[in-house]
Amino acid sequence: MFPGGGVDMQQLLQQAQKMQQELAAAQQELAETSVEGSAGGGLVKATVTGSGELTALEIDPRAVDPEDTETLADLVVAAIRDANNSAQELARARLGPLTQGLGGGGAIPGLPF
């Protein structure tokens, strides 16, 4: 602090840089972490990274009915949605404490939450 109650800009800049580094490290960790979602009692499973990138899709042969491809499509969408919801929860849990310090409500533009 400066005499008279001013703000130490150097200290503030250092804190901002540290927070930026921590946020970047947490984002990298999320990008390398996989979460799974499923639908149809596990007949369809989707795996996404913590940043929301779909990396795998597993379909049990019992889910495949040539006469009813619409249900299979719905299961795939539901599994991906479930996995993305898990990824968003993970991101909120890991990044939330960091983003609170940025003065926001926890949301950062470009992140999936």
Side-chain angles (χ1 to χ4, degrees), residues 13 23 97:
L13 179 59
L23 185 59

Side-chain angles (χ1 to χ4, degrees), residues 3-50:
V7 176
D8 183 345
M9 292 303 288
Q10 183 65 28
Q11 183 181 8
L12 187 61
L13 179 59
Q14 288 174 347
Q15 288 175 340
Q17 288 174 337
K18 180 181 178 198
M19 192 178 301
Q20 184 178 22
Q21 290 170 347
E22 290 173 355
L23 185 59
Q27 288 172 321
Q28 181 64 35
E29 181 182 337
L30 283 173
E32 295 171 357
T33 302
S34 293
V35 294
E36 189 176 276
S38 65
L43 290 175
V44 177
K45 297 177 184 175
T47 304
V48 299
T49 64

